[in-house]
mmCIF file of all heavy atoms in Angstrom:
data_model
loop_
_atom_site.group_PDB
_atom_site.id
_atom_site.type_symbol
_atom_site.label_atom_id
_atom_site.label_comp_id
_atom_site.label_asym_id
_atom_site.label_seq_id
_atom_site.Cartn_x
_atom_site.Cartn_y
_atom_site.Cartn_z
ATOM 1 N N TYR A 26 -1.744 -18.457 -5.558
ATOM 2 C CA TYR A 26 -0.771 -19.067 -6.457
ATOM 3 C C TYR A 26 0.505 -18.239 -6.424
ATOM 4 O O TYR A 26 0.489 -17.043 -6.702
ATOM 5 C CB TYR A 26 -1.340 -19.132 -7.880
ATOM 6 C CG TYR A 26 -0.370 -19.615 -8.928
ATOM 7 C CD1 TYR A 26 0.189 -20.876 -8.858
ATOM 8 C CD2 TYR A 26 -0.022 -18.801 -10.004
ATOM 9 C CE1 TYR A 26 1.073 -21.328 -9.831
ATOM 10 C CE2 TYR A 26 0.854 -19.244 -10.980
ATOM 11 C CZ TYR A 26 1.399 -20.508 -10.878
ATOM 12 O OH TYR A 26 2.276 -20.957 -11.832
ATOM 13 N N GLY A 27 1.621 -18.855 -6.065
ATOM 14 C CA GLY A 27 2.916 -18.184 -6.065
ATOM 15 C C GLY A 27 3.620 -18.410 -7.388
ATOM 16 O O GLY A 27 3.868 -19.546 -7.767
ATOM 17 N N HIS A 28 3.898 -17.331 -8.112
ATOM 18 C CA HIS A 28 4.541 -17.446 -9.430
ATOM 19 C C HIS A 28 5.899 -16.748 -9.383
ATOM 20 O O HIS A 28 5.979 -15.526 -9.322
ATOM 21 C CB HIS A 28 3.662 -16.819 -10.509
ATOM 22 C CG HIS A 28 4.209 -17.032 -11.885
ATOM 23 N ND1 HIS A 28 3.956 -18.160 -12.604
ATOM 24 C CD2 HIS A 28 5.007 -16.270 -12.654
ATOM 25 C CE1 HIS A 28 4.575 -18.091 -13.773
ATOM 26 N NE2 HIS A 28 5.220 -16.947 -13.824
ATOM 27 N N TYR A 29 6.958 -17.549 -9.423
ATOM 28 C CA TYR A 29 8.315 -17.015 -9.361
ATOM 29 C C TYR A 29 9.154 -17.528 -10.518
ATOM 30 O O TYR A 29 10.362 -17.533 -10.451
ATOM 31 C CB TYR A 29 8.974 -17.411 -8.029
ATOM 32 C CG TYR A 29 8.229 -16.858 -6.843
ATOM 33 C CD1 TYR A 29 7.248 -17.613 -6.209
ATOM 34 C CD2 TYR A 29 8.472 -15.574 -6.388
ATOM 35 C CE1 TYR A 29 6.544 -17.102 -5.132
ATOM 36 C CE2 TYR A 29 7.774 -15.056 -5.312
ATOM 37 C CZ TYR A 29 6.811 -15.828 -4.684
ATOM 38 O OH TYR A 29 6.119 -15.307 -3.642
ATOM 39 N N LYS A 30 8.518 -17.981 -11.593
ATOM 40 C CA LYS A 30 9.244 -18.614 -12.699
ATOM 41 C C LYS A 30 9.567 -17.663 -13.844
ATOM 42 O O LYS A 30 10.319 -17.991 -14.724
ATOM 43 C CB LYS A 30 8.416 -19.775 -13.265
ATOM 44 C CG LYS A 30 8.103 -20.841 -12.263
ATOM 45 C CD LYS A 30 7.219 -21.886 -12.909
ATOM 46 C CE LYS A 30 6.116 -22.254 -11.963
ATOM 47 N NZ LYS A 30 5.066 -22.981 -12.547
ATOM 48 N N ASP A 31 8.952 -16.519 -13.869
ATOM 49 C CA ASP A 31 9.068 -15.594 -14.993
ATOM 50 C C ASP A 31 10.227 -14.635 -14.758
ATOM 51 O O ASP A 31 10.172 -13.799 -13.881
ATOM 52 C CB ASP A 31 7.756 -14.822 -15.128
ATOM 53 C CG ASP A 31 7.694 -13.970 -16.365
ATOM 54 O OD1 ASP A 31 8.271 -14.353 -17.386
ATOM 55 O OD2 ASP A 31 7.044 -12.914 -16.314
ATOM 56 N N PHE A 32 11.287 -14.779 -15.526
ATOM 57 C CA PHE A 32 12.431 -13.894 -15.412
ATOM 58 C C PHE A 32 12.623 -13.171 -16.738
ATOM 59 O O PHE A 32 13.405 -13.599 -17.579
ATOM 60 C CB PHE A 32 13.692 -14.673 -15.033
ATOM 61 C CG PHE A 32 13.568 -15.346 -13.707
ATOM 62 C CD1 PHE A 32 13.325 -16.701 -13.623
ATOM 63 C CD2 PHE A 32 13.669 -14.614 -12.533
ATOM 64 C CE1 PHE A 32 13.195 -17.327 -12.397
ATOM 65 C CE2 PHE A 32 13.537 -15.227 -11.293
ATOM 66 C CZ PHE A 32 13.307 -16.580 -11.226
ATOM 67 N N PRO A 33 11.861 -12.086 -16.952
ATOM 68 C CA PRO A 33 11.982 -11.391 -18.235
ATOM 69 C C PRO A 33 13.336 -10.733 -18.403
ATOM 70 O O PRO A 33 13.887 -10.185 -17.460
ATOM 71 C CB PRO A 33 10.869 -10.342 -18.167
ATOM 72 C CG PRO A 33 10.602 -10.136 -16.725
ATOM 73 C CD PRO A 33 10.935 -11.433 -16.036
ATOM 74 N N LEU A 41 7.867 -14.566 -24.140
ATOM 75 C CA LEU A 41 7.226 -15.177 -22.977
ATOM 76 C C LEU A 41 5.729 -15.310 -23.226
ATOM 77 O O LEU A 41 5.090 -14.395 -23.720
ATOM 78 C CB LEU A 41 7.494 -14.340 -21.723
ATOM 79 C CG LEU A 41 8.931 -14.346 -21.226
ATOM 80 C CD1 LEU A 41 9.104 -13.320 -20.119
ATOM 81 C CD2 LEU A 41 9.325 -15.725 -20.734
ATOM 82 N N VAL A 53 -2.671 -14.135 -7.102
ATOM 83 C CA VAL A 53 -1.342 -14.527 -7.586
ATOM 84 C C VAL A 53 -0.326 -13.596 -6.942
ATOM 85 O O VAL A 53 -0.516 -12.387 -6.889
ATOM 86 C CB VAL A 53 -1.247 -14.423 -9.129
ATOM 87 C CG1 VAL A 53 0.137 -14.811 -9.612
ATOM 88 C CG2 VAL A 53 -2.313 -15.272 -9.795
ATOM 89 N N HIS A 54 0.767 -14.184 -6.463
ATOM 90 C CA HIS A 54 1.834 -13.413 -5.835
ATOM 91 C C HIS A 54 3.167 -13.871 -6.419
ATOM 92 O O HIS A 54 3.335 -15.037 -6.732
ATOM 93 C CB HIS A 54 1.830 -13.675 -4.323
ATOM 94 C CG HIS A 54 2.945 -12.983 -3.612
ATOM 95 N ND1 HIS A 54 4.171 -13.569 -3.418
ATOM 96 C CD2 HIS A 54 3.018 -11.752 -3.063
ATOM 97 C CE1 HIS A 54 4.948 -12.720 -2.769
ATOM 98 N NE2 HIS A 54 4.284 -11.620 -2.536
ATOM 99 N N GLY A 55 4.096 -12.962 -6.575
ATOM 100 C CA GLY A 55 5.410 -13.365 -7.047
ATOM 101 C C GLY A 55 6.160 -12.226 -7.691
ATOM 102 O O GLY A 55 5.832 -11.058 -7.505
ATOM 103 N N HIS A 56 7.154 -12.607 -8.496
ATOM 104 C CA HIS A 56 7.936 -11.654 -9.278
ATOM 105 C C HIS A 56 7.733 -12.022 -10.739
ATOM 106 O O HIS A 56 8.285 -13.024 -11.197
ATOM 107 C CB HIS A 56 9.420 -11.738 -8.913
ATOM 108 C CG HIS A 56 9.680 -11.358 -7.498
ATOM 109 N ND1 HIS A 56 9.951 -12.282 -6.522
ATOM 110 C CD2 HIS A 56 9.686 -10.152 -6.888
ATOM 111 C CE1 HIS A 56 10.120 -11.658 -5.382
ATOM 112 N NE2 HIS A 56 9.975 -10.367 -5.571
ATOM 113 N N PHE A 57 6.959 -11.245 -11.451
ATOM 114 C CA PHE A 57 6.664 -11.535 -12.843
ATOM 115 C C PHE A 57 6.322 -10.235 -13.554
ATOM 116 O O PHE A 57 6.010 -9.235 -12.917
ATOM 117 C CB PHE A 57 5.522 -12.555 -12.980
ATOM 118 C CG PHE A 57 4.317 -12.252 -12.123
ATOM 119 C CD1 PHE A 57 3.323 -11.377 -12.559
ATOM 120 C CD2 PHE A 57 4.168 -12.838 -10.882
ATOM 121 C CE1 PHE A 57 2.221 -11.101 -11.782
ATOM 122 C CE2 PHE A 57 3.061 -12.578 -10.089
ATOM 123 C CZ PHE A 57 2.087 -11.695 -10.538
ATOM 124 N N ARG A 58 6.403 -10.268 -14.874
ATOM 125 C CA ARG A 58 6.102 -9.047 -15.628
ATOM 126 C C ARG A 58 4.632 -8.686 -15.436
ATOM 127 O O ARG A 58 3.762 -9.550 -15.288
ATOM 128 C CB ARG A 58 6.477 -9.202 -17.093
ATOM 129 C CG ARG A 58 5.781 -10.298 -17.808
ATOM 130 C CD ARG A 58 6.454 -10.598 -19.167
ATOM 131 N NE ARG A 58 6.113 -11.944 -19.536
ATOM 132 C CZ ARG A 58 5.035 -12.271 -20.243
ATOM 133 N NH1 ARG A 58 4.239 -11.338 -20.692
ATOM 134 N NH2 ARG A 58 4.779 -13.521 -20.510
ATOM 135 N N ALA A 59 4.356 -7.414 -15.412
ATOM 136 C CA ALA A 59 3.039 -6.905 -15.035
ATOM 137 C C ALA A 59 1.907 -7.404 -15.929
ATOM 138 O O ALA A 59 0.792 -7.612 -15.466
ATOM 139 C CB ALA A 59 3.058 -5.375 -15.034
ATOM 140 N N LEU A 61 1.660 -10.327 -17.447
ATOM 141 C CA LEU A 61 1.640 -11.784 -17.586
ATOM 142 C C LEU A 61 0.238 -12.369 -17.440
ATOM 143 O O LEU A 61 -0.151 -13.262 -18.174
ATOM 144 C CB LEU A 61 2.578 -12.434 -16.564
ATOM 145 C CG LEU A 61 2.710 -13.948 -16.660
ATOM 146 C CD1 LEU A 61 3.387 -14.350 -17.971
ATOM 147 C CD2 LEU A 61 3.496 -14.489 -15.480
ATOM 148 N N PHE A 62 -0.537 -11.863 -16.509
ATOM 149 C CA PHE A 62 -1.860 -12.424 -16.246
ATOM 150 C C PHE A 62 -2.985 -11.487 -16.692
ATOM 151 O O PHE A 62 -4.135 -11.644 -16.277
ATOM 152 C CB PHE A 62 -2.005 -12.753 -14.757
ATOM 153 C CG PHE A 62 -1.030 -13.811 -14.309
ATOM 154 C CD1 PHE A 62 0.084 -13.465 -13.574
ATOM 155 C CD2 PHE A 62 -1.223 -15.140 -14.645
ATOM 156 C CE1 PHE A 62 0.999 -14.435 -13.165
ATOM 157 C CE2 PHE A 62 -0.319 -16.116 -14.244
ATOM 158 C CZ PHE A 62 0.790 -15.757 -13.509
ATOM 159 N N THR A 72 1.260 -3.363 -6.973
ATOM 160 C CA THR A 72 2.704 -3.615 -7.010
ATOM 161 C C THR A 72 3.393 -2.677 -6.039
ATOM 162 O O THR A 72 2.824 -1.646 -5.652
ATOM 163 C CB THR A 72 3.273 -3.421 -8.436
ATOM 164 O OG1 THR A 72 4.605 -3.915 -8.482
ATOM 165 C CG2 THR A 72 3.233 -1.972 -8.891
ATOM 166 N N PHE A 73 4.579 -3.044 -5.645
ATOM 167 C CA PHE A 73 5.456 -2.160 -4.883
ATOM 168 C C PHE A 73 6.693 -1.935 -5.737
ATOM 169 O O PHE A 73 7.224 -2.873 -6.318
ATOM 170 C CB PHE A 73 5.854 -2.783 -3.537
ATOM 171 C CG PHE A 73 4.848 -2.518 -2.459
ATOM 172 C CD1 PHE A 73 3.727 -3.312 -2.341
ATOM 173 C CD2 PHE A 73 5.014 -1.462 -1.572
ATOM 174 C CE1 PHE A 73 2.790 -3.075 -1.355
ATOM 175 C CE2 PHE A 73 4.080 -1.209 -0.585
ATOM 176 C CZ PHE A 73 2.967 -2.021 -0.470
ATOM 177 N N ARG A 80 17.559 0.711 -6.873
ATOM 178 C CA ARG A 80 17.404 -0.698 -7.245
ATOM 179 C C ARG A 80 18.634 -1.160 -8.040
ATOM 180 O O ARG A 80 19.134 -2.250 -7.857
ATOM 181 C CB ARG A 80 16.114 -0.882 -8.067
ATOM 182 C CG ARG A 80 15.989 -2.178 -8.816
ATOM 183 C CD ARG A 80 15.757 -3.358 -7.860
ATOM 184 N NE ARG A 80 15.617 -4.589 -8.581
ATOM 185 C CZ ARG A 80 16.614 -5.433 -8.833
ATOM 186 N NH1 ARG A 80 17.828 -5.173 -8.441
ATOM 187 N NH2 ARG A 80 16.397 -6.546 -9.486
ATOM 188 N N TYR A 123 10.031 -5.484 -16.451
ATOM 189 C CA TYR A 123 8.845 -6.022 -15.787
ATOM 190 C C TYR A 123 7.582 -5.243 -16.147
ATOM 191 O O TYR A 123 6.480 -5.768 -16.059
ATOM 192 C CB TYR A 123 9.030 -6.037 -14.268
ATOM 193 C CG TYR A 123 9.808 -7.232 -13.792
ATOM 194 C CD1 TYR A 123 11.196 -7.198 -13.707
ATOM 195 C CD2 TYR A 123 9.160 -8.408 -13.440
ATOM 196 C CE1 TYR A 123 11.910 -8.295 -13.268
ATOM 197 C CE2 TYR A 123 9.868 -9.517 -13.011
ATOM 198 C CZ TYR A 123 11.244 -9.455 -12.930
ATOM 199 O OH TYR A 123 11.943 -10.550 -12.510
ATOM 200 N N GLN A 138 8.614 1.425 -1.959
ATOM 201 C CA GLN A 138 9.435 0.836 -0.907
ATOM 202 C C GLN A 138 9.864 1.867 0.132
ATOM 203 O O GLN A 138 9.993 1.542 1.306
ATOM 204 C CB GLN A 138 10.671 0.155 -1.504
ATOM 205 C CG GLN A 138 10.367 -1.068 -2.305
ATOM 206 C CD GLN A 138 9.882 -2.237 -1.464
ATOM 207 O OE1 GLN A 138 10.030 -2.284 -0.266
ATOM 208 N NE2 GLN A 138 9.293 -3.209 -2.127
ATOM 209 N N ASN A 162 13.715 -7.382 1.663
ATOM 210 C CA ASN A 162 14.945 -8.037 1.231
ATOM 211 C C ASN A 162 16.040 -6.985 1.190
ATOM 212 O O ASN A 162 16.030 -6.101 0.342
ATOM 213 C CB ASN A 162 14.722 -8.661 -0.151
ATOM 214 C CG ASN A 162 15.947 -9.370 -0.666
ATOM 215 O OD1 ASN A 162 16.860 -9.648 0.088
ATOM 216 N ND2 ASN A 162 15.956 -9.657 -1.948
#
Side-chain angles (χ1 to χ4, degrees):
Y26 174 61
H28 186 85
Y29 299 93
K30 301 177 224 166
D31 188 33
F32 298 103
L41 291 171
V53 179
H54 177 270
H56 296 104
F57 47 85
R58 60 194 157 89
L61 183 66
F62 297 104
T72 191
F73 274 83
R80 165 71 179 94
Y123 278 89
Q138 292 291 343
N162 180 15

